[in-house]
Amino acid sequence: MQFLEHFEPELVVASPGRINLIGEHTDYNMGFVLPTAIGKKIIFKFKRNGSDTICNVYTLGYEEGFQIDLQQLAKSEIEWHNYILGVLYELMKRTDTLRGFDCTIESNLPTGSGLSSSAALECGLAYGLNELFGLGLSKLEIVQLCQTAEHTFAGTLCGIMDQYASVMSKAGKVILLDCRSLDRQMIPISLHPYKIIMLNTKVSHSLATSEYNVRKAECEEGVRIIQEKYPEVQSLRDVTVEMLQEFSSQMNETVYKRCAFILEENARVFKVTRALQNNQLKKVGAILYEAHHGISQQYEVSCSESDFLVEFSKNYEQVLGARQTGGGFGGCTLNIVHEDAVDDFVKNAAVAYKSAFEVDLEWFEVAPSEGTTARWMK
Ligand code: ADP
Ligand code: MG
């Protein structure tokens, strides 16, 4: 694209991916999560281009760009365009000072790996344009409009966690977030001498979006059945273990399993929070293993690659716990590994994974990091 020559940005935005320590699929059930941003991120460079409505967006990873007219925003056939278009559409609905801009996108965040590159993409764009054009949106409004953009343009009926974690995180903390009230508590996290090691299965099964929406519908089905007797129940968040048991014979087995997982997973968020606060790292690890079992057997959003890596980690006393993280069907596993054992663990995991699946394992360390930041260049 022409603007790439001599491109001198006015504003640079760093938009991080996120991990979620515990609380998988609980966000869209209005429950609790414990995420944080990580050091891997998408960097946006922005410049106003003087046009009223014409924008140019280029992503270096794909070596691909496109031109957009703010007066003609509609869904695209090209997947990644929809994350951009969706955000612009939501910004245009809410504000009236957005004008033409040029933007480049550069990322070291693996896509489709459960680290929420989609939220990083949406939020970095919205955050940057809010700053560049003084749109006057709060951080929370940015989070919420990006979630809406993911629903309407990208087609994933995601909860609020990914966008919230990407924008709001603080270094050295995990966010205990109530996804209904959006009350949050920043929980200090210190794992020393353990590290958070991500193993990327590098599989991104195509089921991810469609099955995600199916799980959401199954949870809603559970709520509907329970509501017949308990009309005050708005989401699985409001359901107790006793209530769920009462309805077990009226739900099909699948819906029951999904609901039971969500109830247990919500409880695990508080157990992990308490264990972190009491520095009981072994307990944190044990709960992660328990969660993976639920992800795999009750919620059924794992896959053989993730199961393999979680099982493999159990060979190591120095690995306290592991589980698949993210929406499911591949992506990364999160492992809590003693710093002295990291090299050995990842080397052997890579050999075992290669011989089982013929795939080169990728790994990296992450640490709880700061949310989105913006910097003016002059
Ligand atoms: P995740 O959020 O777990 O990474 P998703 O499937 O939700 O997985 O989002 C991944 C999609 O986001 C990619 O397929 C692509 O469309 C878009 N995306 C992420 N990063 C970039 C990037 N740097 N440039 C363009 N598109 C990107
Ligand atoms: Mg995503």
Side-chain angles (χ1 to χ4, degrees):
M1 293 184 100
Q2 215 178 358
F3 82 90
L4 289 170
E5 295 163 29
H6 319 296
F7 182 58
E8 280 183 34
E10 292 179 276
L11 184 80
V12 177
V13 169
S15 180
R18 64 98 191 91
I19 53 163
N20 183 25
L21 200 54
I22 193 81
E24 215 60 86
H25 292 270
T26 47
D27 63 345
Y28 56 80
N29 285 299
M30 298 299 136
F32 299 88
V33 291
L34 202 62
T36 174
I38 57 174
K40 286 194 179 286
K41 57 186 83 157
I42 303 182
I43 303 291
F44 293 78
K45 295 181 180 162
F46 291 99
K47 186 181 194 309
R48 288 168 286 196
N49 64 16
S51 158
D52 269 353
T53 64
I54 300 300
C55 314
N56 299 295
V57 176
Y58 188 89
T59 182
L60 280 80
Y62 304 178
E63 295 185 5
E64 215 182 285
F66 68 120
Q67 193 165 74
I68 303 153
D69 184 337
L70 292 175
Q71 296 301 336
Q72 293 178 23
L73 295 169
K75 269 174 91 163
S76 162
E77 294 292 306
I78 301 171
E79 189 205 333
W80 77 272
H81 291 189
N82 282 317
Y83 295 97
I84 308 292
L85 294 165
V87 168
L88 295 178
Y89 182 83
E90 295 303 324
L91 287 175
M92 289 295 282
K93 257 191 358 202
R94 289 167 174 76
T95 65
D96 53 16
T97 51
L98 182 61
R99 298 288 181 272
F101 65 90
D102 295 342
C103 168
T104 64
I105 298 165
E106 197 171 358
S107 175
N108 67 359
L109 187 57
T111 59
S113 305
L115 301 172
S116 211
S117 68
S118 58
L121 187 61
E122 294 147 6
C123 294
L125 180 67
Y127 198 101
L129 294 174
N130 186 49
E131 181 74 19
L132 193 66
F133 292 98
L135 302 180
L137 297 167
S138 68
K139 282 188 181 185
L140 186 58
E141 285 171 314
I142 289 171
V143 165
Q144 287 169 324
L145 80 85
C146 289
Q147 181 197 17
T148 306
E150 181 139 354
H151 289 186
T152 53
F153 273 64
T156 301
L157 301 173
C158 60
I160 192 113
M161 169 176 72
D162 297 349
Q163 290 79 9
Y164 196 98
S166 183
V167 173
M168 303 288 198
S169 288
K170 293 284 165 216
K173 309 271 170 63
V174 286
I175 308 174
L176 173 58
L177 177 67
D178 177 335
C179 295
R180 181 164 64 190
S181 67
L182 299 184
D183 285 347
R184 59 122 189 258
Q185 212 183 321
M186 293 291 179
I187 308 291
I189 173 169
S190 160
L191 297 177
H192 183 79
Y194 289 85
K195 293 187 176 296
I196 304 175
I197 302 298
M198 307 303 289
L199 301 181
N200 190 350
T201 62
K202 296 224 267 211
V203 297
S204 185
H205 291 286
S206 55
L207 286 170
T209 302
S210 56
E211 285 297 306
Y212 188 99
N213 293 342
V214 169
R215 292 299 174 282
K216 184 162 185 279
E218 287 164 345
C219 292
E220 286 162 359
E221 170 71 11
V223 169
R224 231 180 346 264
I225 293 167
I226 296 168
Q227 269 174 340
E228 284 172 22
K229 176 159 178 203
Y230 298 102
E232 70 276 18
V233 164
Q234 294 298 310
S235 64
L236 286 181
R237 151 71 173 275
D238 303 316
V239 175
T240 62
V241 174
E242 293 72 30
M243 269 183 203
L244 183 62
Q245 269 164 4
E246 192 183 331
F247 289 90
S248 61
S249 60
Q250 293 168 50
M251 284 179 192
N252 76 47
E253 201 187 325
T254 303
V255 170
Y256 182 80
K257 270 198 301 194
R258 307 298 191 239
C259 294
F261 169 78
I262 296 298
L263 265 55
E264 289 165 25
E265 187 72 358
N266 263 324
R268 281 191 282 267
V269 173
F270 290 100
K271 287 184 195 161
V272 167
T273 301
R274 269 195 303 276
L276 282 177
Q277 289 169 326
N278 296 328
N279 208 26
Q280 296 167 305
L281 298 185
K282 277 195 175 155
K283 193 162 185 181
V284 172
I287 301 169
L288 294 193
Y289 278 133
E290 195 185 298
H292 186 78
H293 185 262
I295 286 167
S296 180
Q297 303 301 315
Q298 286 172 295
Y299 218 62
E300 296 180 284
V301 292
S302 187
C303 58
S304 48
E305 293 89 344
S306 296
D307 288 346
F308 178 90
L309 288 174
V310 170
E311 273 313 302
F312 181 83
S313 77
K314 292 180 182 167
N315 296 324
Y316 284 77
E317 208 181 301
Q318 303 95 325
V319 179
L320 296 184
R323 68 176 192 85
Q324 179 189 266
T325 178
F329 305 104
C332 291
T333 64
L334 181 156
N335 303 260
I336 300 188
V337 187
H338 193 285
E339 59 187 11
D340 295 342
V342 170
D343 289 347
D344 211 35
F345 170 60
V346 295
K347 198 176 78 202
N348 293 333
V351 171
Y353 192 67
K354 176 89 176 180
S355 80
F357 297 102
E358 277 298 306
V359 177
D360 291 315
L361 190 68
E362 184 184 75
W363 74 275
F364 46 92
E365 183 190 339
V366 296
S369 303
E370 199 68 20
T372 324
T373 55
R375 185 161 51 94
W376 285 93
M377 300 312 285
K378 44 186 170 230

